[in-house]
């Protein structure tokens, strides 16, 4: 746990008692604060009281006397579509509102660091897609290189549940727009933007508000190095805003598909090869085509971002390349779960929409595609341009028959269940082919979440092993 600094003898309110809210309350108490808590759920409040927390009704203005700050969980709206009533009350009372990310950045450094040989550092990753894979890959590279490291934030451990920093440690954080939007302190050493595409627009009042939330990590934080994906105009704008000219190597531009040779520092992937350029000269190259844990152009973009972030803190290209080859990928995200009789089996259960499924379908050749579930508005007709490598589709779940009408001339079979899909694909797949679970649909017709769907697929595949 990281005790919160600067709160001793203050009364601090915590709104929301999920994982991050509970951890925040504990870290505040460890820092000497008097903590009061509130949650909209009556059962959650009862459990909190039973656990010894001081539950205080923060919807009543008379209960705000003496409260110095409100710390809210990231899932609770603070502006759009409307502030939560408790947050609106804090605004009316002039009480500062923050979140656990803000508390982490103001509490991470301690006087103990003066005795360290190497100052601990923070790499923070945000973006629309790929941030979990990029964060996990950076953490993996650091571990493989023998660097002390922790991972947390929107992935794994909550930030205040991390251990206090060790000498020379690098903490790698995944940060969502919900987390960056409100944090009053954002001071990473290296900040990464993977890419931008519309998401969470109701929460941010539109695409401009969503981008503004991401931009805060760079504009408010002033990182020593900024790694910026420039395949969208927002990334190009941000890189231009942060740099003092094309030769400014404090900004590392990253791309999957563009050749970036004119800048002070850039990392890009084209035709399966990653290239690093410094001041117009190529200084490193990595063949990504045989890196099984990072298939496809979208993962090559993640590899470029992770490479740039770890180069920015001094790792050598050979160290990074070696770690790429031992990275197994995150569960349910283009994860190779087996190779049986020359057939590759890939679990991309996280591909719950058309955009994610399209990325998966362009990452492999000769595909037997398992798709379906609870389809989303608009169906999958937009996937037709990406089906050229699909040998046959095996369609499951509530929307299986609807999907069959939307995939053009692609061969298909409606098989209803995952068990049937895996069995049929196993019977028909030929060496050199890939059986890909990329559902392009939610899981809720047959599974509680995409993780359970992916776990079922993986178990069925592993049962095929001789």
């Amino acid at each position: 746990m990281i005790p919160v600094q600067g709160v001793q003898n203050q009364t601090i309110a915590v709104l929301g008692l999920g994982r991050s809210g509970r951890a925040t309350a504990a870290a505040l108490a460890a820092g000497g604060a008097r903590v009061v808590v509130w949650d909209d759920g009556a059962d959650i409040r009862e459990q909190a009281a039973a656990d010894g927390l001081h539950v205080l009704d923060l919807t009543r203005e008379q209960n705000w006397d003496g409260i110095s700050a409100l710390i809210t969980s990231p899932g609770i709206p603070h502006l759009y579509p409307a502030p939560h009533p408790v947050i609106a009350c804090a605004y009316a009372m002039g009480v500062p509102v923050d979140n656990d990310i803000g508390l982490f950045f103001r509490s991470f450094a301690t006087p103990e660091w003066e005795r360290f040989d190497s100052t601990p550092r923070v790499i923070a990753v945000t973006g629309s897609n790929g941030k979990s894979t990029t964060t996990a890959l950076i953490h993996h590279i650091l571990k493989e290189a023998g660097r002390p490291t922790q991972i947390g934030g929107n992935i794994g451990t909550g930030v205040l549940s991390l251990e206090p920093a060790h000498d020379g440690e690098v903490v790698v954080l995944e940060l969502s727009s919900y987390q960056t939007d409100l944090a009053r302190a954002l001071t990473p050493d290296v900040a990464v933007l993977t890419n931008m595409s519309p998401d969470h627009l109701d929460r941010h009042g539109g695409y401009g508000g969503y981008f503004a939330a991401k931009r805060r990590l760079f504009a408010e934080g002033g990182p020593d190095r900024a790694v910026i994906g420039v395949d969208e105009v927002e990334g190009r704008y941000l890189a231009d805003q942060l740099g003092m000219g094309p030769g400014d190597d404090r900004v590392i531009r990253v791309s999957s598909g563009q050749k970036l040779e004119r800048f002070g520092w850039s990392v890009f992937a084209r035709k399966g090869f990653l290239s690093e350029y410094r001041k117009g000269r190529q200084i490193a190259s990595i063949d990504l085509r045989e890196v099984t844990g990072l298939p496809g152009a979208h993962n090559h973009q993640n590899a470029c971002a992770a490479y740039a972030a770890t180069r920015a803190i001094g790792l050598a290209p050979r160290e990074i390349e070696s770690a790429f080859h031992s990275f197994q990928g995150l569960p349910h995200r283009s994860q190779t779960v087996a190779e049986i009789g020359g057939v590759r089996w890939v679990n991309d259960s996280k591909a719950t929409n058309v955009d994610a499924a399209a990325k998966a379908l362009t990452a492999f050749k000769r595909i037997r595609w398992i798709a379906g579930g609870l389809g989303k508005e608009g169906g999958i007709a937009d996937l037709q341009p990406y089906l050229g490598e699909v040998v046959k589709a095996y369609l499951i779940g509530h929307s299986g028959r609807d999907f069959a009408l939307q995939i053009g001339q692609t061969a298909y079979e409606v098989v209803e269940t995952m068990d049937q899909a895996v069995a049929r694909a196993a019977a028909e797949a030929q060496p050199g082919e890939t059986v890909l679970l990329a559902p392009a649909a939610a899981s809720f017709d047959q599974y509680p979440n995409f993780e359970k769907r992916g776990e079922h697929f993986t178990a069925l595949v592993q049962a095929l092993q001789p």
Side-chain angles (χ1 to χ4, degrees), residues 356-430:
K359 288 181 170 63
L361 288 164
T362 58
F364 304 97
K365 304 293 185 184
R366 299 170 59 192
I367 298 168
R368 292 187 180 270
W369 178 35
I370 299 175
L374 188 62
K376 298 188 175 181
E377 185 177 353
I380 62 166
D382 288 347
L383 280 176
Q384 286 195 35
Y386 303 96
L387 301 181
E389 290 291 337
V390 176
V391 178
K392 184 176 179 180
Y394 305 85
L395 303 175
I396 66 173
H398 178 271
S399 298
R401 296 185 186 280
D402 293 335
F403 281 13
L405 302 175
Q406 300 171 21
I407 58 174
Q409 301 302 309
T410 303
Y412 72 87
E413 185 176 344
V414 178
V415 291
E416 304 292 346
T417 68
M418 187 72 73
D419 300 74
Q420 294 171 306
V422 169
R424 294 294 297 142
E428 297 181 347
Q430 302 298 311

Side-chain angles (χ1 to χ4, degrees), residues 325-339:
H325 286 281
S326 59
F327 183 65
Q328 298 301 308
L330 288 179
H332 320 300
R333 296 167 173 86
S334 294
Q335 176 195 22
T336 298
V337 295
E339 187 164 325

